[in-house]
Amino acid sequence: MRIYKVGGAVRDRLLGIPVTDIDRVVVGATTEEMLAQGFRPVGADFPVFLHPKTGEEYALARTERKSGRGYGGFTFHASPEVTLEEDLIRRDLTINAMAEDDQQNLTDPYHGQRDLEARLLRHVSPAFAEDPLRVLRVARFAARYAELGFTVAPETLELMRQLSESGELEALTAERSWKEISRALMENQPQVFIEVLRACGALKVLMPEIDALFGVPQPEAHHPEIDTGAHTLSVLEQAAQHKQPLTVRWACLLHDLGKGLTPEEEWPRHIAHELKGLKLIKAVNERFKAPRDCQELALLVGEYHTHGHRALELKPSILLELLQSFDVYRRPQRFEEFIAACEMDARGRKGLEQRSYPQADYLRGAAHAARSVAVQPLLEKGFKGPELGEAIKRERLKALKAYKEAASA
Ligand code: ATP
Ligand code: MG
């Protein structure tokens, strides 16, 4: 049997960037031979094994054939006769379809190295169109390698467009889509992921709520970039530049969805877009079964981001409601993430990326003031049950009034 490194490990070594996970393909072996050598089988669908010592993945060379809709609609064929070239041709991109042996001898039948040099993400064969997940994968690789100058080859973008129009994208499961979306959002240029999806028509299918933001104007005084879609991409870009976690990036992406619902005669104003957007945010959250913390933060940021921007003008009673809505007493971290998302929203505006955001420290100070109210003295005064709750609220309000006065003095 012959063993080769394939996929990302070869690609990233040639690009001179650190290799994180190593995928290997085994040619000329049977399942029985693998088991006899101590490899442990994983996965019911594919002939994939874990190395007995390193735990790394080894897959038997295989061919595949489309036999129905979606990802389940594939038949695989693995046997010792399947050649390396046959295994490589089923892969998505030419730069992912190279293999190398122990001595770093490269097998590159589909010219991945040429495309690496040309900085092109190009599909290997027309079979690309058999798995709609590849649309998301290509957009994700575009987001990852944009800083190295990579773009999607025009003919690949055309295939992605055909896939998007064919209705095949709808066959993707929430789990497979979310895995790609969440990884793409954590890349250095996540806005490129959205741009590529939009360019091939996939955004309209997967997240029509975001697609609808392009072409929607906002008031130039607050938004020199004017376009709501362009603004959303800038906010996402800021979130990546500031190394924000996935929760914040997800909330940034969805924060302005309500602006897509504004009747044209109200443009460029967007009255109550925060509340109007909530049902859209909920729909996107559920469509991809986003993790609970991502869902929650997106909804809260959607509802309250303009509160964040107006923090210094908020009456103490509204400030208190805001803090209560976030349950800042038990969930201080979530409030920090809200503040971060608001700041990214403020910076995601053309020419205003570097401006300061004093609202952030003001909100932190307010949270601190409210959290500093001690419960023990109220218990000692004999407050119980709902009355205790009311008394705590009164004390917090007092603390916030004092905080606001001191801050404006
Ligand atoms: P990463 O650095 O993100 O791990 P990778 O290229 O190694 O990138 P993997 O998801 O680990 O990506 O997959 C390993 C290889 O398997 C890919 O390089 C590609 O050749 C192939 N591959 C994975 N998923 C698909 C798919 N849906 N369609 C076609 N080929 C795929
Ligand atoms: Mg990999």
Side-chain angles (χ1 to χ4, degrees), residues 92-342:
D92 47 7
L93 296 171
T94 59
I95 63 166
N96 290 344
M98 298 181 277
E100 66 183 21
D101 63 15
D102 285 349
Q103 278 82 51
Q104 294 189 350
N105 293 311
L106 200 66
T107 304
D108 181 17
Y110 311 109
H111 308 295
Q113 221 179 1
R114 192 177 66 194
D115 286 336
L116 272 186
E117 272 154 32
R119 300 294 195 242
L120 279 176
L121 304 171
R122 189 202 305 277
H123 64 284
V124 175
S125 86
F128 178 91
E130 293 179 357
D131 179 7
L133 190 77
R134 291 170 190 159
V135 172
L136 292 165
R137 281 179 59 91
V138 174
R140 171 165 70 79
F141 284 117
R144 185 190 294 178
Y145 295 120
E147 61 187 8
L148 297 179
F150 277 84
T151 56
V152 181
E155 59 273 30
T156 302
L157 198 67
E158 184 48 40
L159 261 183
M160 290 162 72
R161 181 193 316 284
Q162 288 169 18
L163 254 169
S164 304
E165 283 167 5
S166 72
E168 276 280 311
L169 283 176
E170 280 123 87
L172 287 172
T173 63
E175 288 75 12
R176 286 188 92 208
S177 300
W178 177 256
K179 201 170 154 222
E180 291 301 324
I181 293 166
S182 56
R183 290 183 74 185
L185 290 178
M186 292 313 291
E187 299 292 356
N188 283 339
Q189 309 251 16
Q191 76 284 4
V192 173
F193 176 69
I194 302 295
E195 281 167 349
V196 169
L197 292 181
R198 178 163 178 256
C200 70
L203 192 61
K204 205 161 36 195
V205 179
L206 296 168
M207 303 185 195
E209 301 85 350
I210 292 170
D211 198 62
L213 300 178
F214 291 87
V216 174
Q218 309 166 100
E220 193 171 357
H222 298 293
H223 286 281
E225 73 288 345
I226 299 178
D227 188 84
T228 310
H231 164 61
T232 298
L233 295 183
S234 300
V235 178
L236 199 50
E237 184 177 359
Q238 287 299 315
Q241 276 179 21
H242 287 84
K243 305 273 179 245
Q244 297 295 348
L246 178 62
T247 44
V248 173
R249 296 185 192 203
W250 182 241
C252 285
L253 180 64
L254 304 186
H255 78 286
D256 263 348
L257 292 189
K259 289 183 179 171
L261 295 176
T262 309
E264 272 189 51
E265 36 317 342
E266 289 176 22
W267 286 358
R269 296 185 64 210
H270 298 280
I271 305 146
H273 74 274
E274 303 88 342
L275 285 174
K276 285 190 212 160
L278 292 181
K279 63 172 189 281
L280 302 185
I281 296 174
K282 190 162 177 279
V284 180
N285 272 339
E286 288 172 0
R287 185 174 316 139
F288 299 109
K289 297 190 185 154
R292 198 191 172 92
D293 55 349
C294 288
Q295 294 208 17
E296 266 180 18
L297 190 71
L299 286 165
L300 285 164
V301 169
E303 184 165 358
Y304 295 112
H305 60 279
T306 40
H307 277 61
H309 302 329
R310 287 188 287 111
L312 278 80
E313 295 102 68
L314 294 180
K315 287 193 296 190
S317 59
I318 305 290
L319 209 43
L320 180 63
E321 278 174 30
L322 179 70
L323 298 173
Q324 306 281 89
S325 302
F326 277 85
D327 192 8
V328 77
Y329 318 102
R330 284 185 295 179
R331 306 277 304 271
Q333 183 54 34
R334 185 171 64 177
F335 194 61
E336 267 305 318
E337 292 181 356
F338 163 72
I339 295 172
C342 291

Side-chain angles (χ1 to χ4, degrees), residues 21-82:
D21 92 317
I22 302 181
D23 304 290
R24 289 189 178 80
V25 67
V26 183
V27 178
T30 61
T31 295
E32 292 68 34
E33 284 165 338
M34 296 299 282
L35 296 175
Q37 297 212 9
F39 282 89
R40 283 174 285 129
V42 280
D45 300 343
F46 316 129
V48 179
F49 302 86
L50 297 182
H51 191 278
K53 294 223 176 67
T54 65
E56 289 176 332
E57 275 192 24
Y58 289 68
L60 290 188
R62 65 177 190 256
T63 59
E64 58 187 32
R65 197 159 43 80
K66 180 88 166 162
S67 56
R69 262 173 83 89
Y71 195 56
F74 273 102
T75 14
F76 298 95
H77 169 71
S79 84
E81 285 77 46
V82 175

